[in-house]
């Protein structure tokens, strides 16, 4: 039986049901599962001295597009809002292939691990003609190499410009092709068991890139297969206008008419809902992945997180795609999200600790998991540790629960543990030679961008 001991921790913020914060405590993980938390001495195969560290539950990212890691910081799109930004980037993304997806997944997932994220959800929806196969396989391969828990999605686009949608023909597929491949990917990778490392979600991209038929049939298929549903919704006023013009109703009413509300559904962004719609989300337990940095970058608007939490809407945190963030650092979104809500809601805003819980227990709920998101006996051994011997933390340690929101932590975390396996140690990825990878990854990235310029 493999055991890992986090010994004599300065502080453990558990995010458990009692919101316990322990000091000078030990945490023992046996075969990937937390077996003990408390003051008693423990022995293990491997011990990490945590006497100068704060231990937190691993963060959970509920919205990302890892493939966009290779289209970050492109000068041409820096001053655009969503629709123009997508139109410019679709042309580049049409050149994606398995190799690019693999390298960009390693880049994004590696950065997530180094910023305390232990479970990532990815929304991949670009399957270019001629290079459709092996893309989700490449993502799981990258996640397995690094040791991160991955919920991948079989995303999709079926409504091209010629049929009134936004994306070009080269990146859309037929409904039959999408549904058949969705079932294949679920059968191949989805593991619903407790502590599973790989799960699959069905995730058509958005109301302006997917037909009503595909939305409706995908919901039926997901429920038949027992997997969750995800899409972008209420992200921008342009999207709202599009749905009103094409379907004569609001985005939420449209999705509801297609079977897309319920406790097995969560939307990315959820910015432009009115009060009645928020009440309906709470009533149906339909969730929202809040992505504050992306929402600011694309000038999409401010998600009503304070009201959502007051009403009981399930809310988690996400970084969104790397091209609209332009990073894969959930700690950064935790801090920025906290500040944005302060600006928007003043004394009604969620606290720093509330934001940590969005990124842990809140996100776990969106992914349909009750085995991650908190440090308690019987939960997965997923955690990260920050070293308090850091000049940026001097004078900040009175409230470790709130610290990641109120103060923020901009350095690399010291340790990240997933399923009891140490995957970041002393601030470095354990399973990847980072220096070599950085040298290797820049070449395909440059080829990818050059190819797009030539087309
Ligand atoms: Zn997105």
């Amino acid at each position: 039986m493999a055991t890992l001991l986090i010994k004599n921790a300065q502080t453990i913020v558990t995010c458990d049901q009692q919101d316990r914060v322990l000091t000078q405590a030990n945490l023992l993980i046996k075969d990937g599962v937390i077996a003990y938390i408390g003051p008693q001495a423990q022995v293990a195969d491997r011990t990490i001295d945590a006497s100068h560290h704060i231990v937190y539950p691993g963060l959970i990212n509920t919205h990302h597009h890892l493939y966009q890691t290779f289209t970050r910081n492109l000068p041409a799109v820096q001053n655009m809002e969503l629709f123009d930004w997508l139109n410019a980037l679709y042309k580049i993304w049409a050149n994606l292939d398995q190799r690019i997806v693999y390298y960009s997944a390693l880049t994004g997932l590696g950065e997530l691990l180094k910023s305390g994220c232990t479970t990532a959800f990815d929304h991949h929806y670009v399957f270019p003609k001629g290079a459709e196969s092996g893309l989700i396989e490449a993502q799981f391969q990258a996640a397995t190499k690094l040791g991160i828990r991955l919920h991948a999605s079989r995303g999709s686009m079926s409504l091209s410009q010629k049929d009134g949608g936004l994306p070009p023909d080269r990146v859309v597929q037929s409904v039959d092709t999408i549904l058949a491949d969705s079932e294949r990917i679920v059968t191949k990778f989805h593991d619903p068991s407790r502590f599973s490392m790989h799960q699959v979600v069905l995730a058509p991209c958005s109301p302006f890139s997917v037909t009503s038929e595909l939305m409706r049939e995908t919901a039926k298929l997901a429920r038949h297969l027992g997997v969750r549903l995800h899409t972008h919704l209420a992200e921008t006023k342009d999207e709202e206008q599009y749905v009103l013009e094409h379907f004569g109703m609001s985005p939420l009413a449209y999705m509801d008419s297609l079977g897309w509300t319920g406790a097995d559904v969560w939307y990315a962004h959820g910015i432009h809902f009115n009060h009645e719609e928020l009440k309906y989300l709470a009533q149906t337990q339909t969730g929202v992945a809040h992505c504050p940095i992306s929402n600011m970058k694309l000038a999409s608007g401010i998600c009503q997180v304070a009201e959502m939490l007051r009403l009981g809407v399930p809310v988690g945190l996400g970084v969104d795609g790397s091209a609209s963030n332009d990073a894969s650092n959930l700690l950064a979104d935790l801090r920025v999200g906290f500040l944005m809500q302060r600006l928007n809601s003043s004394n009604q805003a969620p606290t720093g600790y509330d934001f940590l819980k969005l990124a842990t227990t809140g996100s776990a709920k969106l992914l349909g998991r009750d085995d991650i998101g908190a440090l308690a006996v019987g939960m997965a051994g997923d955690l990260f540790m920050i070293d308090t011997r850091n000049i940026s933390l001097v004078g900040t340690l009175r409230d470790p629960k709130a610290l990641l929101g109120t103060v923020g932590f901009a350095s690399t975390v010291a340790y990240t543990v997933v399923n009891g396996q140490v995957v970041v140690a002393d601030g470095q990825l354990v399973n990847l030679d980072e220096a070599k990878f950085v040298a290797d990854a820049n070449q395909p990235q440059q080829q990818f961008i050059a190819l797009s310029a030539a087309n």
Side-chain angles (χ1 to χ4, degrees):
M1 182 177 283
T3 51
L4 173 69
L5 175 62
I6 311 299
K7 187 179 178 184
N8 193 29
Q10 181 178 339
T11 306
I12 300 177
V13 177
T14 65
C15 294
D16 69 4
Q17 289 177 350
Q18 294 80 42
D19 294 314
R20 288 186 306 156
V21 177
L22 310 177
T23 54
Q24 273 77 54
N26 298 309
L27 187 153
L28 181 69
I29 302 171
K30 279 187 185 173
D31 282 342
V33 181
I34 298 174
Y36 175 81
I37 306 182
Q40 292 170 12
Q42 304 286 322
V43 268
D45 304 331
R46 179 172 179 183
T47 297
I48 297 175
D49 174 15
S51 52
H52 296 285
H53 296 80
I54 306 174
V55 182
Y56 292 99
L59 304 181
I60 299 165
N61 185 32
T62 59
H63 187 62
H64 204 329
H65 312 287
L66 286 162
Y67 74 87
Q68 293 180 7
T69 308
F70 276 12
T71 46
R72 288 190 282 174
N73 196 27
L74 291 182
V77 300
Q78 293 309 315
N79 196 26
M80 292 176 176
E81 293 191 15
L82 183 69
F83 278 19
D84 290 339
W85 178 89
L86 282 169
N87 278 323
L89 286 169
Y90 283 140
K91 300 181 185 75
I92 301 176
W93 299 338
N95 294 302
L96 281 175
D97 61 21
Q98 195 174 0
R99 179 166 168 254
I100 297 301
V101 168
Y102 179 66
Y103 273 101
S104 48
L106 280 176
T107 306
L109 293 172
E111 189 182 355
L112 282 170
L113 282 175
K114 293 181 72 169
S115 51
C117 178
T118 51
T119 299
F121 164 71
D122 190 72
H123 187 181
H124 187 94
Y125 55 84
V126 181
F127 293 82
K129 285 191 179 13
E132 302 93 334
S133 59
L135 304 185
I136 305 303
E137 284 84 347
Q139 292 192 321
F140 277 118
Q141 193 186 346
T144 301
K145 177 169 178 56
L146 292 171
I148 193 169
R149 220 182 272 283
L150 180 67
H151 287 221
S153 65
R154 205 317 178 171
S156 51
M157 294 196 289
S158 62
L159 187 67
S160 74
Q161 285 161 2
K162 70 173 173 18
D163 298 317
L166 204 67
D169 224 27
R170 288 170 65 198
V171 292
V172 305
Q173 297 177 293
S174 73
V175 172
D176 288 348
T177 301
I178 291 164
L179 293 175
D181 200 48
S182 297
E183 185 156 4
R184 183 185 71 82
I185 294 287
V186 171
T187 304
K188 188 170 178 182
F189 291 107
H190 184 66
D191 172 7
S193 65
R194 194 164 171 82
F195 312 119
S196 81
M197 293 293 286
H198 292 167
Q199 295 203 5
V200 176
V201 173
L202 298 189
C205 184
S206 66
F208 52 83
S209 58
V210 169
T211 56
S212 306
E213 181 195 5
L214 180 61
M215 283 289 188
R216 196 182 295 112
E217 293 305 314
T218 299
K220 282 185 200 162
L221 180 63
R223 285 171 180 140
H224 171 68
L225 297 172
V227 300
R228 300 177 81 76
L229 288 161
H230 179 68
T231 192
H232 295 93
L233 202 74
E235 181 175 4
T236 65
K237 283 289 181 189
D238 287 340
E239 173 210 304
E240 185 176 290
Q241 191 61 33
Y242 179 96
V243 177
L244 271 172
E245 278 174 14
H246 286 78
F247 308 108
M249 50 186 131
S250 75
L252 183 60
Y254 173 58
M255 294 308 286
D256 194 42
S257 76
L258 299 170
W260 268 77
T261 47
D264 56 351
V265 178
W266 85 104
Y267 304 133
H269 307 299
I271 296 167
H272 301 286
F273 291 129
N274 62 34
H275 182 69
E276 289 307 310
E277 290 176 325
L278 291 181
K279 283 193 344 199
Y280 190 63
L281 294 179
Q283 184 192 326
T284 56
Q285 285 296 288
T286 309
V288 171
H290 174 43
C291 306
I293 292 181
S294 170
N295 297 163
M296 294 169 78
K297 166 77 183 286
L298 293 175
S300 302
I302 300 177
C303 183
Q304 303 302 311
V305 175
E307 191 177 1
M308 286 180 177
L309 294 181
R310 192 175 61 74
L311 292 170
V313 178
V315 185
L317 203 62
V319 297
D320 199 3
S322 301
S324 63
N325 186 299
D326 290 10
S328 299
N329 185 326
L330 202 56
L331 281 173
D333 277 87
L334 201 165
R335 163 102 165 121
V336 167
F338 165 76
L339 290 173
M340 188 162 76
Q341 293 302 315
R342 288 287 313 154
L343 178 64
N344 193 47
S345 303
S346 185
N347 62 2
Q348 301 301 304
T351 64
Y353 182 52
D354 289 334
F355 258 86
L356 174 63
K357 293 196 74 165
L358 288 190
T360 53
T361 54
S363 288
K365 184 169 183 179
L366 296 195
L367 298 189
R369 298 195 67 144
D370 59 7
D371 55 347
I372 56 175
L375 299 177
V377 171
M379 299 290 278
D382 289 14
L383 56 86
F384 72 99
M385 300 163 55
I386 62 171
D387 192 332
T388 59
R389 292 165 296 185
N390 182 321
I391 197 165
S392 71
L393 295 181
V394 173
T396 69
L397 300 178
R398 292 184 67 85
D399 189 357
K401 293 206 313 278
L403 180 131
L404 300 175
T406 53
V407 180
F409 187 70
S411 310
T412 299
V413 306
Y415 290 90
T416 303
V417 175
V418 183
N419 232 24
Q421 301 294 314
V422 178
V423 292
V424 173
D426 298 322
Q428 292 290 308
L429 294 169
V430 171
N431 300 317
L432 188 73
D433 179 340
E434 287 188 50
K436 181 174 184 313
F437 175 75
V438 169
D440 289 350
N442 276 322
Q443 187 196 16
Q445 194 274 341
Q446 285 162 13
Q447 287 171 346
F448 173 57
I449 297 297
L451 181 65
S452 306
N455 281 348

